[in-house]
């Protein structure tokens, strides 16, 4: 008679019991908490973030730091969750974005607060290079605090491979690269290692930068130079040729296997950002200028195409005072010096202690601080294009891989630029 | 493409694949020898075919096991078919810390989701099969269609609603797990309803007759007669629903933050991440599949019924 | 009143003390109401909401509920990526459905007469269904590696070792516009056991006497297959085809984990996800989702009707 009722109760009871551990999952709690949203979950960056958090908590006793990290610069769920929280006006207290136009939609939709006053108060305009400040500025205001700087326009190689093949040195222009590539191909090796879709976009912007030069590169993304203009179409044609010397068809894995092929010597060059350095030093146990080397990608010597992880102050943050303190920590010399050596990037500030940065990073820091260096922003990493435009470029490049229609690519990019600005 | 979607519509628990019935056919005496020879030749062919298929289906398992138990230093893409020259649990010990948390998350969401969804489904199935009410012939097909709806078609409103309810991601104390459980309960309802409905349709009304004659109402009969009778259907439904929730990726990716990731999202992160060696990816895939595989091995009968149900068919 | 809830003709009214009891149909509705509300809101309400979004120009972080008629649909029609996706899903569906059907049928046929250790074979053919598509994709990603020369790996390596080197393929990275057909391999691995189960159950449901009498009449095994089994299996085949098509249209996790961002294997469901959540094109995402839903409804709607009708008989 009662067994059905007992059964139902048992089911509900077990369900509740099994659900209890859930409550421990999200963590958090406490009144004075600061929720910071980032995608720093990889090796190095996670430790760097932890060091900053530690310092922050030492200074602000009693605050609970909620690390709402969601993985993967490439993982789209990070962006998706953040986007929906912003849509619902339920933002974390501070969230990470790439500095630059990746923030544009947030700004136009009123999701983030103007930090210009904070910049003035902290004197950040004096310690950050002008090219960076330009790229941080949207509609005349600044909305994010950069913690670190990565460089995108680098070409990596193994010096020994160049010696074996009798190549005098890495190419200075893409035309020279194509010459070398033909010789490399005849020697039975791959001229350029490439990885998945986003690494192709990374190569794409690098070729554009090298072929167009910094000024026209910036004009292109500012809309004053059209994709279908002759010089840009010529650059696109170069990209197509460069790609034809890559292992695009057989490439497997993400950027690490791409770099691995350079280390192994089956491929000669790879275009990749400077996070490759900490991978080569750490995982592959290679030394700068011995096992591996990098130069500015062809045609971009003296130009520093950067990307930067930056934090924001969202509109409607629950704990804005604490969030502002966090931003101050992010912009401080101490904070940047705690984070960057671990992450394998350089501080955005030009007055941070240079002694902490050796090997590749020492070289990079020198370039970054050189007043003659021209600073431009990376496309693939959100500086010079907003999210919508970037997503459309993804589609267009993916289609281009299939149909090789150069003119179609240029026309599509012109059209989507207009549609997403 | 979740398993829930693939299952389509389960059949009642009373059916499984019947055993073959083999009665030797009365053969004309003269044909006996010839037919025996061809049939033994055919039988041999049959077993060759079966073993080739077994090889095909187990090949990925072989690769997975061999790679996962190799010493991480011996793992290479070119050598995934090579027999292991070493044995090591390093891949597992390396990957487990990255998955353990989400393993627990998945358990604590899949169990309530499967139990509660089945309970509600049982009530629906009972009412649809045994209680006459107007518009049942409209309601039932509408619920059925829910099995097949592509989740893309509801995900934008769902994301909005869950955020508005404060059940999503970082805003929620459970990191979105409670909301995710709710989602699995709701989107499991169509299939659990069908499982129970088909089961109850197959039961003679007389089983509930005495309760009715005793003056028991619908609720009472449901609790005292229907639920105990439906035990086999519960097994099918709970197992099916557990598998579906455990294997879901899309809702998990949408709802949770890093702390509250379900196992599939964490696994995709391990294997799709940028620097994880694939020995670990394989070990992770194995670990993430253990619970559903265990259920499959131990309770395969019920699992099969859930699968078969798939087609709005009664066989 | 309380007596009429079971499928029985209402009995002569027994006016007992229980007159106050709620009528059976109302109690039944009450029992179902939580589910009805949830399904109503979370499935049909949301579908409506999604369709509504597809008629707006909502892009980015601020919902916009204006009304732009069919603009998004016409834009989709002219969208090069959508066209590629539509073609891809057609190729994939064809290869996957035909392949899984053939393989599933073959397995069922081999098992139909009962093999020693049948449970073992069945178990092996069916177990991939218990595994998530993410895990499936992780393993198959390495099997479908397309490295060449010294980097030959995965299935290609196996082929080379077995002296079947000519079978080498670039799989889903191939330049051919059929690259997406390679995805049918893991998908078929995952789901043809399901087709086998359907066919096997269907075959066993055919009364043995039919076959035996055909044999006695001198029919060969092939004739039995063709004239007895084929017509009897037509409804099962019909079901399997429709279910497989609908699975194929929804394919998401598998491709997501296999090689996301590779447009050669892009499908509408992936495009929807990325354009919505990466690009912020909610209008376009909702439009793709609506088209997808219509596609599934066209397949499944008549099927549900057909099933309900045959069941009633």
């Amino acid at each position: 008679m009662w067994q059905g009722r007992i059964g139902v109760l048992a089911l509900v009871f077990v369900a509740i019991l099994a659900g209890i551990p859930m409550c421990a999952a999200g963590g958090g709690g406490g009144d004075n908490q600061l929720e910071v949203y980032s995608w720093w979950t990889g090796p190095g960056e996670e430790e760097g973030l932890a060091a900053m958090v530690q310092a922050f908590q030492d200074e602000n006793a009693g605050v609970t730091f909620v690390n709402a990290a969601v993985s993967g610069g490439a993982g789209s769920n990070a962006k998706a969750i953040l986007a929906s929280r912003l849509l619902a006006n339920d933002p974390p207290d501070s969230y990470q974005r790439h500095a630059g136009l990746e923030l544009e939609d947030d700004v136009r939709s009123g999701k983030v607060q103007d930090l210009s006053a904070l910049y003035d108060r902290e004197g950040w305009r004096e310690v950050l290079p002008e090219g960076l400040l330009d790229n941080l500025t949207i509609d005349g205001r600044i909305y994010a605090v950069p913690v670190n700087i990565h460089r995108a326009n680098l070409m990596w190689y193994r010096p020994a491979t160049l010696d074996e093949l009798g190549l005098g040195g890495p190419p200075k222009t893409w035309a020279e690269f194509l010459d070398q590539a033909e010789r490399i191909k005849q020697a039975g090796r791959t001229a350029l290692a490439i990885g998945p879709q986003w690494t192709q976009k990374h190569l794409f912007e690098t070729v554009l930068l090298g072929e167009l030069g910094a000024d026209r590169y910036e004009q292109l993304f500012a809309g004053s130079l059209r994709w279908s203009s002759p010089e840009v179409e010529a650059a696109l044609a170069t990209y197509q040729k460069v790609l034809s010397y890559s292992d695009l068809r057989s490439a497997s894995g993400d950027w690490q296997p791409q770099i691995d092929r350079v280390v192994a010597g089956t491929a000669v060059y790879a275009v990749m950002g400077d996070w490759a350095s900490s991978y080569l030093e750490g995982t592959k146990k290679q030394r700068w200028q011995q096992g591996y080397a990098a130069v500015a990608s062809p045609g971009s010597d003296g130009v520093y195409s950067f990307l930067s992880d930056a934090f924001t102050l969202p509109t409607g943050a629950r704990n804005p005072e604490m969030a502002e303190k966090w931003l101050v920590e992010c912009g401080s010399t101490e904070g940047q010096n705690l984070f960057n050596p671990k992450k394998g990037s350089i501080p955005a500030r030009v007055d941070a202690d240079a002694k902490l940065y050796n090997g590749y990073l020492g070289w990079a820091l020198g370039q970054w601080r050189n007043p003659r260096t021209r600073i431009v922003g990376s496309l693939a990493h959100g500086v010079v294009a907003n999210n919508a435009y970037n997503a459309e470029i993804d589609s267009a490049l993916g289609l281009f891989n299939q149909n090789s229609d150069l003119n179609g690519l240029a026309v599509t990019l012109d059209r989507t630029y207009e549609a997403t600005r | 493409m979740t398993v829930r979607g693939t299952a389509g519509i389960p059949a009642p628990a009373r059916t499984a694949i019947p055993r073959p019935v083999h009665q030797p056919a009365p053969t004309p005496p003269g044909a006996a020898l010839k037919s025996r020879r061809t049939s033994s030749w055919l039988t041999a062919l049959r077993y060759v075919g079966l073993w080739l298929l077994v090889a095909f289906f187990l090949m990925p398992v072989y690769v997975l096991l061999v790679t996962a138990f190799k010493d991480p230093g011996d793992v290479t893409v070119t050598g995934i078919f090579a027999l292991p020259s070493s044995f090591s649990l390093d891949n597992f010990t390396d990957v487990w810390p990255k998955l353990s948390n989400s393993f627990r998350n998945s358990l604590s969401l899949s169990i309530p989701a499967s139990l509660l969804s089945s309970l509600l489904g049982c009530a629906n199935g009972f009412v649809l099969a045994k209680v006459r009410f107007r518009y049942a012939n409209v309601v039932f097909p509408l619920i059925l269609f829910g099995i097949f709806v592509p989740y893309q078609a509801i995900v934008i409103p769902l994301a909005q609603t869950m955020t508005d309810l404060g059940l999503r991601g970082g805003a929620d104390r459970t990191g979105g797990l409670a909301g995710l459980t709710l989602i699995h309960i709701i989107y499991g309802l169509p299939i659990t309803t069908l499982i129970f409905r088909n089961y109850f349709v197959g039961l003679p009304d007389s089983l509930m007759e005495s309760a009715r004659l005793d003056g028991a109402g619908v609720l009472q009969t449901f609790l005292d007669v229907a639920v105990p009778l439906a035990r086999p259907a519960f097994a099918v439904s709970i197992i099916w629903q557990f598998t579906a929730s455990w294997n879901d990726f899309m809702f998990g990716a949408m709802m949770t933050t890093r702390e509250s990731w379900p196992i599939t999202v964490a696994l995709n992160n391990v294997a799709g991440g940028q620097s994880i060696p694939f020995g670990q990816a394989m070990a992770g895939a194995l670990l993430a599949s253990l619970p559903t595989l265990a259920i499959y091995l131990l309770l395969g009968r019920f699992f099969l019924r859930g699968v078969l149900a798939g087609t709005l068919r009664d066989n | 009143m309380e007596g009429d809830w079971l499928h029985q003709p209402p009995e002569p009214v027994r006016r007992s003390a229980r007159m106050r009891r709620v009528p059976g149909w109302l109690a039944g509705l009450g029992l179902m109401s939580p589910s009805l509300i949830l399904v109503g809101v979370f499935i049909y309400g949301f579908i409506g909401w999604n369709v509504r979004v597809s008629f707006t120009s909502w892009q980015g972080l601020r919902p916009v509920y204006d009304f732009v008629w069919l603009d998004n649909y016409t834009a989709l029609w002219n969208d090069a990526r959508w066209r590629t996706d539509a073609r891809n899903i057609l190729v994939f569906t064809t290869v996957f459905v035909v392949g899984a059907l053939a393989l599933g049928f073959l397995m069922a046929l081999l098992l139909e007469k009962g093999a020693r250790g049948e449970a073992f074979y069945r178990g092996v053919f069916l177990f991939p269904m218990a595994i998530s598509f993410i895990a499936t994709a992780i393993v198959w990603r390495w099997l479908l590696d397309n490295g060449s020369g010294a980097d030959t790996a995965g299935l290609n390596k196996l082929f080379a070792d077995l002296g079947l080197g000519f079978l080498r393929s670039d799989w889903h990275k191939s330049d051919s516009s059929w690259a997406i057909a390679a995805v049918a391999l893991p998908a078929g691995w995952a789901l043809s056991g399901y087709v086998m189960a359907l066919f096997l159950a269907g075959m066993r449901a055919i009364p043995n006497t039919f076959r035996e009498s055909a044999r006695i009449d001198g029919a060969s095994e092939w004739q039995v297959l063709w004239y007895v089994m084929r017509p009897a299996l037509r409804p099962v085949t019909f079901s399997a085809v429709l279910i497989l098509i609908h699975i194929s249209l929804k394919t998401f996790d598998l491709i997501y984990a296999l090689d996301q961002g590779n447009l050669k294997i892009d499908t509408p469901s992936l495009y929807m996800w990325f354009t919505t959540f990466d690009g912020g094109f909610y209008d376009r995402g909702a439009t793709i989702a609506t088209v997808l839903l219509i596609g599934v409804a066209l397949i499944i709607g008549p099927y549900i009707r057909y099933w309900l009708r045959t069941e009633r008989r």
Side-chain angles (χ1 to χ4, degrees):
Chain A
M1 173 76 203
W2 286 92
Q3 56 171 319
R5 296 171 195 210
I6 290 168
V8 169
L9 279 178
L11 283 183
V12 174
F13 182 69
V14 172
I16 291 171
L17 212 61
I20 284 175
M22 255 183 223
C23 303
D31 293 333
N32 191 15
Q33 67 174 37
L34 176 76
E35 190 196 1
V36 174
Y37 194 96
S38 79
W39 57 73
W40 283 332
T41 60
E45 56 194 26
E46 198 166 19
E47 288 84 10
L49 177 63
M52 269 172 83
V53 170
Q54 188 59 50
F56 179 76
Q57 283 182 320
D58 288 347
E59 266 177 47
N60 302 284
V63 66
T64 316
F65 189 95
V66 180
N67 179 6
V70 174
S71 110
S76 78
N77 54 332
K79 274 187 187 167
I81 288 195
L82 181 60
S84 81
R85 288 188 61 182
L86 294 179
L87 265 169
N89 296 318
D90 173 39
D93 293 308
S94 180
Y95 64 86
Q96 182 185 19
R97 281 272 200 227
H98 284 123
L101 289 185
E102 192 171 294
L103 259 170
E104 188 180 60
D105 195 20
D106 311 37
V107 171
R108 301 262 162 91
S109 313
K111 301 296 182 187
V112 284
Q113 298 184 33
D114 178 11
L115 298 175
S116 303
L118 187 66
Y119 266 69
D120 293 335
R121 206 175 71 212
E122 297 290 322
W124 286 336
R125 288 180 204 272
E126 281 72 54
V127 292
L128 297 175
E130 205 183 314
L132 174 62
L133 287 169
D134 286 348
N135 275 295
L136 283 173
T137 306
I138 296 174
D139 302 338
R141 297 195 173 88
I142 296 187
Y143 296 88
V145 180
V147 182
N148 65 347
I149 297 294
H150 276 298
R151 187 176 187 177
N153 60 323
L154 291 169
M155 188 173 234
W156 303 82
Y157 59 95
R158 189 174 70 116
T161 311
L162 264 55
D163 293 345
E164 286 162 26
L165 292 170
L167 301 167
K172 298 259 189 303
T173 63
W174 283 109
E176 194 185 333
F177 169 82
L178 291 173
D179 278 348
Q180 287 195 4
E182 191 53 44
R183 283 161 62 196
I184 294 168
K185 191 178 171 187
Q186 270 150 26
R189 304 203 202 187
T190 307
L192 187 73
I194 194 88
Q197 195 271 341
W198 73 267
T199 67
Q200 296 158 31
K201 186 156 82 168
H202 191 118
L203 175 69
F204 176 71
E205 70 172 57
T206 310
V207 175
L208 285 175
L209 177 62
E211 290 291 281
L212 295 174
D215 286 336
R216 281 186 296 175
Y217 174 85
E218 292 202 315
Q219 285 165 15
L220 178 65
F221 289 104
S224 51
L225 178 65
R226 290 182 68 79
W227 287 91
S228 47
S229 63
E231 60 260 57
V232 180
E233 289 218 12
L236 293 178
T238 308
Y239 166 68
Q240 192 172 27
K241 282 197 208 103
V242 170
L243 208 56
S244 72
Y245 285 103
S246 75
D247 51 6
L248 176 66
R249 283 191 62 207
S250 63
S252 61
D254 213 290
W255 65 272
Q256 275 101 348
Q258 179 189 353
I259 294 290
D260 288 352
R261 294 196 286 277
V262 174
V263 175
T266 54
V268 181
Y269 298 111
V271 167
M272 187 38 59
D274 63 3
W275 41 92
S277 164
S278 54
Y279 170 67
L280 285 162
E281 299 268 348
T283 311
K284 305 301 280 187
K285 307 273 180 270
Q286 303 292 318
R287 293 283 82 82
W288 168 243
Q289 298 299 11
Q290 293 163 30
Y292 77 100
V295 291
S297 58
S300 70
D301 197 31
V303 180
Y304 202 110
S305 174
F306 85 97
L307 58 122
S308 167
D309 296 308
F311 282 91
T312 58
L313 181 60
T315 315
R318 285 195 210 89
N319 198 344
E321 297 84 46
M322 213 36 93
E324 206 170 287
K325 285 187 184 163
W326 166 251
L327 294 179
V328 170
E329 161 96 9
C330 291
S332 70
T333 324
E334 299 75 41
Q336 301 203 346
N337 280 338
L338 280 173
F339 178 75
N340 284 297
K342 292 200 170 65
K343 156 88 172 159
S345 48
I346 59 168
R349 293 175 69 119
V350 293
D351 61 346
D353 188 0
K355 284 200 291 290
L356 292 167
Y357 304 89
N358 308 309
Y360 163 78
L361 290 178
W363 177 69
L365 196 62
Q367 300 253 311
W368 177 249
R369 290 178 175 183
N370 185 340
R372 284 194 305 276
T373 297
R374 173 72 191 272
I375 294 175
V376 300
S378 157
L379 161 71
H381 306 281
V383 185
V384 294
N386 61 32
N387 287 331
Y389 190 30
N390 239 320
E392 296 290 63
I393 293 178
D394 285 342
S395 295
L397 280 180
L399 289 168
F400 175 69
N401 270 348
Q402 289 171 295
N403 59 22
S404 304
D405 177 5
L406 268 180
N407 190 252
L409 176 65
V411 171
T412 308
L413 292 178
D414 273 333
R415 185 170 48 75
T416 51
Y417 176 78
E418 289 303 323
T420 56
R421 58 188 299 183
Chain B
M1 185 154 154
T2 61
V3 173
R4 180 186 300 142
T6 68
I9 306 178
R14 70 197 133 83
T15 59
I17 295 176
R19 309 289 320 163
V21 195
H22 271 292
Q23 287 148 347
T27 330
L33 192 67
K34 184 177 172 241
S35 99
R36 202 177 303 138
R37 206 176 295 142
T38 35
S39 81
S40 70
W41 185 78
L42 273 176
T43 308
L45 201 66
R46 232 149 45 84
Y47 278 97
V48 171
L50 281 173
W51 277 101
L52 282 176
L53 286 164
V54 166
F56 170 69
F57 277 91
L58 290 185
M59 172 209 26
V61 181
Y62 167 80
V63 167
L64 185 126
L65 289 177
V66 164
T67 312
F69 285 104
K70 264 182 203 169
D71 188 276
D74 293 344
V75 172
T76 58
V77 196
T78 50
I80 53 175
F81 284 104
L83 279 170
S85 55
S86 54
F87 176 84
S88 158
L89 292 175
D90 286 3
N91 285 320
F92 290 93
T93 50
D94 287 345
V95 83
W96 178 244
K98 297 170 192 159
L99 294 179
S100 60
N101 200 24
S102 58
F103 196 90
R104 196 194 59 179
N105 291 340
S106 268
L107 272 183
S108 77
L109 85 91
S110 299
I111 294 174
S114 52
L115 296 185
L116 298 179
S117 198
S118 298
L119 201 57
L120 288 172
C122 181
N124 300 342
F126 168 72
V127 174
L128 285 170
K130 296 296 176 206
V131 183
R132 226 192 314 219
F133 70 98
R134 211 186 292 211
Y135 305 123
N137 57 343
V138 180
V139 168
F140 182 49
L142 282 176
I143 293 180
L144 273 191
F145 184 68
I147 298 172
F148 302 99
V149 169
Y151 294 134
Q152 269 81 2
I154 46 92
V155 76
I156 293 175
L158 181 69
Q160 289 280 86
T161 307
M162 284 294 161
T163 320
D164 289 346
L165 293 176
L167 287 176
R168 185 157 176 219
D172 176 40
R173 211 163 54 86
T174 66
L177 280 181
L180 187 56
T181 310
L182 182 67
I183 288 178
H184 283 305
I185 293 175
I186 295 170
Y187 294 106
L189 282 177
I191 189 114
T192 56
T193 299
L194 179 85
I195 292 175
F196 284 99
R197 183 264 184 196
N198 281 2
Y199 179 77
F200 283 122
V201 161
L203 292 182
D205 286 354
S206 56
L207 284 172
M208 282 152 219
E209 182 71 344
S210 56
R212 192 180 64 86
L213 290 178
D214 288 347
V218 169
L219 186 65
Q220 227 177 329
T221 313
F222 169 69
L223 286 173
D224 296 334
V225 184
V227 171
L229 276 176
R231 259 175 303 198
F234 267 109
V236 174
S237 166
I238 290 173
I239 285 173
W240 194 252
Q241 208 33 42
F242 180 87
T243 310
S245 326
W246 185 274
N247 288 343
D248 159 74
F249 173 77
M250 190 168 133
F251 289 137
M254 188 196 81
M255 287 292 295
T256 54
T257 65
R258 188 168 180 242
E259 304 304 310
S260 54
W261 275 343
I263 188 82
T264 44
V265 181
L267 177 65
N268 182 57
N269 199 57
V270 165
Q274 296 176 342
S275 59
I276 309 290
F278 71 92
Q280 285 186 37
M282 296 285 189
L286 184 61
L287 289 171
S289 309
L290 281 183
T292 49
L293 269 184
I295 288 179
Y296 176 73
L297 290 177
L298 297 175
L299 299 164
R301 257 176 335 130
F302 296 106
F303 184 85
L304 181 62
R305 284 168 185 159
V307 169
L308 260 191
T311 350
L312 296 178
R313 298 188 58 81
D314 288 334
N315 54 39
Chain C
M1 278 303 285
E2 79 275 20
D4 67 349
W5 59 268
L6 202 59
H7 285 286
Q8 292 279 323
E11 302 222 329
V13 186
R14 296 184 302 125
R15 294 194 177 275
S16 67
R18 303 280 188 94
M19 262 305 286
R20 286 167 293 113
R21 188 192 292 284
V22 282
W25 65 269
L26 193 59
L29 218 54
L31 208 52
M32 272 188 86
S33 58
S35 309
L36 289 179
I37 293 168
L38 289 173
V39 168
V41 172
F42 279 77
I43 295 181
Y44 292 97
F46 283 5
I47 287 176
W49 185 347
N50 181 74
V51 172
R52 169 112 175 68
V53 173
S54 77
F55 289 115
T56 69
S57 63
W58 172 8
Q59 291 177 7
L61 293 174
R62 246 187 325 211
V64 179
Y65 286 103
D66 52 353
F67 187 76
V68 298
W69 299 98
L70 291 169
D71 285 6
N72 293 317
Y73 291 87
T74 49
L76 199 62
W77 186 252
N78 295 315
D79 183 334
R81 180 167 173 182
W82 165 260
R83 288 181 173 192
T84 314
D85 291 354
R87 193 192 164 280
N88 279 347
I89 198 69
L90 218 64
V91 171
F92 175 67
T93 302
T94 312
V95 177
F96 164 67
V97 171
V98 172
L101 214 59
L103 195 61
F105 181 74
L106 178 70
M107 293 189 292
L109 200 62
L110 291 175
L111 284 179
E112 189 264 327
K113 287 194 172 172
R116 203 170 304 144
E118 182 189 319
F120 165 77
Y121 295 109
R122 264 192 348 219
V124 168
F125 299 157
L126 207 60
F127 88 91
M129 278 206 79
I131 292 175
S132 65
F133 281 112
I134 301 292
T136 301
I138 284 172
V139 183
W140 279 93
R141 186 159 62 195
W142 301 105
L143 288 172
L144 298 182
D145 190 282
N146 70 333
S148 54
D151 291 332
T152 304
L155 281 183
N156 289 335
K157 171 88 169 161
L158 186 69
F159 290 154
D161 290 350
L162 295 175
L164 298 168
F166 59 91
L167 286 174
R168 187 193 178 283
S169 164
D170 278 329
W171 308 114
H172 58 284
K173 293 208 171 109
S174 150
D175 274 345
S176 148
S177 52
W178 289 81
I180 189 150
V183 181
L185 207 55
W189 179 79
L191 288 164
S192 45
Y194 167 63
V195 182
M196 172 214 67
L198 281 177
F199 272 123
L200 198 53
M203 289 171 181
R204 300 248 163 103
I206 303 170
N208 216 30
T209 48
F210 282 26
R211 270 175 284 183
E212 292 309 336
S213 56
R215 289 196 185 104
I216 291 166
D217 291 346
S220 72
E221 284 300 314
W222 294 114
Q223 284 169 326
V224 171
L225 188 65
W226 190 255
Y227 291 108
V228 181
M229 308 252 283
R230 193 182 56 107
L233 289 177
R234 210 172 278 152
V236 185
T237 317
F238 178 66
S239 309
V241 168
L242 293 185
I243 299 291
L244 289 176
I245 291 178
H246 123 271
I247 290 171
S248 149
L249 291 181
K250 297 204 297 195
T251 305
F252 177 76
D253 322 13
L254 184 67
I255 297 180
Y256 185 99
L258 199 62
D259 193 10
Q260 59 163 293
N262 174 0
L263 288 203
K264 288 169 190 163
I265 55 171
D266 201 45
T267 61
S269 57
L270 280 125
Y271 188 20
M272 186 275 166
W273 182 263
F274 288 112
T275 202
T276 309
F277 294 117
D278 270 5
F281 294 96
Y282 288 81
D283 50 356
R284 190 190 298 160
T287 309
I288 297 172
T290 306
V291 176
L292 204 59
L293 177 73
I294 293 172
V296 169
L298 286 178
I299 306 278
I300 293 299
Y303 180 56
I304 289 179
R305 264 186 53 173
Y306 160 83
W307 177 68
L308 288 172
R309 207 174 288 159
T310 47
E311 195 205 39
R312 228 169 275 141
R313 245 186 275 136

